[in-house]
């Protein structure tokens, strides 16, 4: 399906990126589009009302968030079809759909022959990545890890061989636990914790994970993004998980302790002991 948003004579929903802290990052084009729409669908009407009041804009708001994303998207699409109204969608901060609601609205709109356009603006992941000092040419955005430690470990195990720079969102009350799990599973990689981006107390902490886990928890407040270096190990020997587990088991059958079997397997495969340990124990 090809869509030419400003040529097709079709209804158009704008996804408008909003500031992640600094209100002056709301662009003139965003203000123009919002000022000329009929309805603003938003994640949280109170947050969006505050943003609009700062720019003296007064528009009807309707809440479209995780718990009503499908039903409210259908309502909005019906209103667009019946009354040909102009609709904008904004989340609480940054881009809609990026660790935020909006995707269902996009999907259903496209199925209903409604075009989608975006108004550019800030995004916490990209702001953090480009200033991190870590390679930006290839990156993998994960967003939030699962809060449950066991699932978090499984997710990180799946990511640990990626060579791309890794990007995570995290909440301050979970940051130390998450950094510790990252250190355990990914090993001692270079990382950058970007805090309070675009705000007065914006801070970049560029340290290896081994030093990051020693930070005082009470100094890590506010909103934060974690950028972690991709896998730099030489994987040319490229043993898969099954082969690694087999090698460990062979050593155990020869009478070695699990610890020693992991050490020997690490020497054979040239893969670090931590990684072998994680592969062996998460697949037992
Ligand atoms: N849609 C947003 C975007 O485009 O970046 C992300 C929304 S997600 C629900 C919120 C998370 O983004 C926060 O928990 C934090 O990890 C990150 N974040 C948002 N604003 C930030 C800021 N000013 N500084 C650092 N991280 C931020």
């Amino acid at each position: 399906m090809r869509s030419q948003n400003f040529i097709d004579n079709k209804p158009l929903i704008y996804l408008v990126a909003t500031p992640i802290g600094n209100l002056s990052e709301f662009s003139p084009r965003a203000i123009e589009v919002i000022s000329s729409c009929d309805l603003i669908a938003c994640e949280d009407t109170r947050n969006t009302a505050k943003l609009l009041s700062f720019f003296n804009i007064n528009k009807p708001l309707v809440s479209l968030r995780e718990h009503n994303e499908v039903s409210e998207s259908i309502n909005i699409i019906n209103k667009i079809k019946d009354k040909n109204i102009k609709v904008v969608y904004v989340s609480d901060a940054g881009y809609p759909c990026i660790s935020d609601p909006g995707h269902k609205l996009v999907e259903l709109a496209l199925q209903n022959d409604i075009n989608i356009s975006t108004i550019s603006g800030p995004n916490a992941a990209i702001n953090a990545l480009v200033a991190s000092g870590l390679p930006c040419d290839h990156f993998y955005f994960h967003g939030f890890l699962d809060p449950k430690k066991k699932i978090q470990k499984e997710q990180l195990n799946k990511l640990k061989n990626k060579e791309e720079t890794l990007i995570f969102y995290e909440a301050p009350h979970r940051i130390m636990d998450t950094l510790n799990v990252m250190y355990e599973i990914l090993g001692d990689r270079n990382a950058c914790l970007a805090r309070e981006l675009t705000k007065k107390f914006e801070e970049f902490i560029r340290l290896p994970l081994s030093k990051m886990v020693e930070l005082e928890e009470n100094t890590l407040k506010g909103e934060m993004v974690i950028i972690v270096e991709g896998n730099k190990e030489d994987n040319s020997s490229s043993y898969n998980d099954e082969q690694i587990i087999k090698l460990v088991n062979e050593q155990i059958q020869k009478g070695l302790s699990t610890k020693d079997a992991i050490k020997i397997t690490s020497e054979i495969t040239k893969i670090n002991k931590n990684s072998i340990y994680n592969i062996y124990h998460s697949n037992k």
Side-chain angles (χ1 to χ4, degrees):
M1 188 173 73
R2 294 175 73 160
S3 306
Q4 286 192 290
N5 287 337
F6 310 121
I7 294 171
D8 297 343
N9 196 14
K10 284 188 188 171
L12 181 63
I13 296 177
Y14 280 102
L15 304 175
V16 178
T18 54
I20 57 170
N22 190 324
L23 291 184
S24 42
E25 291 193 338
F26 207 37
S27 76
R29 184 165 182 238
I31 294 169
E32 185 190 312
V33 165
I34 284 208
S35 305
S36 66
C37 78
D38 301 304
L39 177 69
I40 301 175
C42 55
E43 186 179 358
D44 184 325
T45 51
R46 280 165 308 177
N47 276 345
T48 302
K50 274 189 217 151
L51 176 73
L52 296 186
S53 114
F54 186 84
F55 291 99
N56 285 319
I57 302 171
N58 194 5
K59 290 284 170 184
L61 300 177
V62 57
S63 155
L64 188 157
R65 51 200 311 168
E66 219 176 308
H67 76 273
N68 70 351
E69 206 175 343
V70 173
S71 60
E72 198 46 53
S73 295
I74 294 170
N75 280 342
I76 290 167
I77 287 164
N78 287 337
K79 278 186 198 155
I80 295 173
K81 285 169 133 182
D82 293 348
K83 301 183 189 148
N84 196 23
I85 59 167
K86 286 190 203 161
V87 175
V88 155
Y89 183 68
V90 297
S91 60
D92 283 348
Y95 275 80
C97 308
I98 303 297
S99 298
D100 264 347
H103 174 66
K104 271 286 155 210
L105 176 66
V106 173
E107 198 177 45
L108 290 166
L110 293 173
Q111 283 165 11
N112 281 275
D113 218 17
I114 294 170
N115 282 350
I116 300 289
S117 186
T118 47
I119 303 296
S120 321
N123 163 257
I126 299 296
N127 276 31
L129 173 70
V130 297
S132 68
L134 294 168
C136 303
D137 42 1
H138 301 289
F139 58 89
Y140 177 87
F141 172 73
H142 184 87
F144 290 98
L145 288 163
D146 195 279
K148 293 191 201 81
K149 211 173 197 172
K150 183 169 176 280
I151 302 177
Q152 207 175 78
K153 285 186 179 184
E154 286 165 9
Q155 291 175 325
L156 288 168
N157 266 315
K158 282 193 188 143
L159 298 179
K160 71 168 188 271
N161 290 326
K162 285 195 175 295
E163 292 175 14
E164 298 91 345
T165 301
L166 305 172
I167 309 179
F168 302 92
Y169 285 163
E170 192 48 286
H173 65 279
R174 285 200 296 259
I175 187 66
M176 288 320 293
D177 285 345
T178 301
L179 288 172
N180 275 294
V181 176
M182 283 179 171
Y183 179 37
E184 178 188 332
I185 306 286
L186 303 176
D188 196 11
R189 301 192 187 181
N190 290 320
C192 173
L193 193 151
R195 222 169 52 78
E196 294 289 86
L197 292 161
T198 78
K199 304 181 200 176
K200 183 175 176 191
F201 295 108
E202 175 176 282
E203 183 182 25
F204 289 89
I205 305 173
R206 300 175 181 93
L207 286 174
L209 285 172
S210 58
K211 294 276 175 265
M212 201 80 94
V213 295
E214 289 172 2
L215 293 169
E216 289 289 328
E217 185 167 9
N218 63 8
T219 63
L220 302 179
K221 298 226 160 60
E223 300 196 275
M224 54 194 70
V225 180
I226 312 163
I227 312 283
V228 184
E229 188 177 37
N231 186 3
K232 295 283 172 284
E233 275 174 21
D234 179 9
N235 285 336
S236 51
S237 59
S238 69
Y239 287 84
N240 64 31
D241 287 8
E242 210 178 310
Q243 291 166 318
I244 289 166
I245 294 160
K246 194 165 163 240
L247 281 171
V248 177
N249 282 332
E250 279 169 10
Q251 301 304 322
I252 293 172
Q253 274 156 18
K254 284 183 196 163
L256 291 188
S257 65
T258 311
K259 193 175 164 212
D260 288 341
I262 288 171
K263 193 170 162 232
I264 300 282
T265 307
S266 163
E267 284 165 14
I268 297 170
T269 58
K270 308 270 183 289
I271 298 172
N272 75 37
K273 273 188 290 182
N274 246 349
S275 304
I276 305 271
Y277 178 94
N278 288 322
I279 293 166
Y280 184 69
H281 285 284
S282 56
N283 287 284
K284 253 202 323 196

